Amino acid sequence: MRKDEFKNQIERHLLTPTIFGYADANHYLVGAEDEDGNFYSLSDEQDKIMVFNSMFEAETCLKSLGFTSASLHFQTAYDEMIGNDKSSDTRITISLGEQ
């Protein structure tokens, strides 16, 4: 989803701005989630998924679009590796600061 559509969907309260990260990875995805937890990645003008090298870069992108908070969705594979049924999945709302 390109930035203009992304911003429009969020402003219409259809989606929530989201940063998706994975333990031990140094890449973050910026996108949005609907109420069912479906994630829609932010794309550039060539429809290529945007990948950020740090949490700061991901936050800066959302802040530049005018957002002051986002959902952070962070996953880890450690539970799968040791055989737990439920994966560790952290979802928190983070502040991006004032505009």
Side-chain angles (χ1 to χ4, degrees), residues 71-89:
S71 175
L72 172 61
H73 184 178
F74 198 75
Q75 290 186 335
T76 178
Y78 296 123
D79 284 337
E80 282 181 34
M81 291 167 39
I82 61 171
N84 286 348
D85 290 339
K86 214 172 185 183
S87 175
S88 291
D89 185 352

Side-chain angles (χ1 to χ4, degrees), residues 47-59:
D47 289 325
K48 188 175 178 186
I49 293 175
M50 296 177 73
V51 178
F52 298 87
N53 293 318
S54 70
M55 184 73 174
F56 178 76
E57 285 181 6
E59 290 174 345

Side-chain angles (χ1 to χ4, degrees), residues 19 28-30 52 54-63:
I19 298 172
Y28 295 84
L29 296 177
V30 169
F52 298 87
S54 70
M55 184 73 174
F56 178 76
E57 285 181 6
E59 290 174 345
T60 300
C61 174
L62 287 173
K63 191 173 179 178

Side-chain angles (χ1 to χ4, degrees), residues 15-26:
L15 302 174
T16 302
T18 303
I19 298 172
F20 188 89
Y22 198 75
D24 295 331
N26 59 348

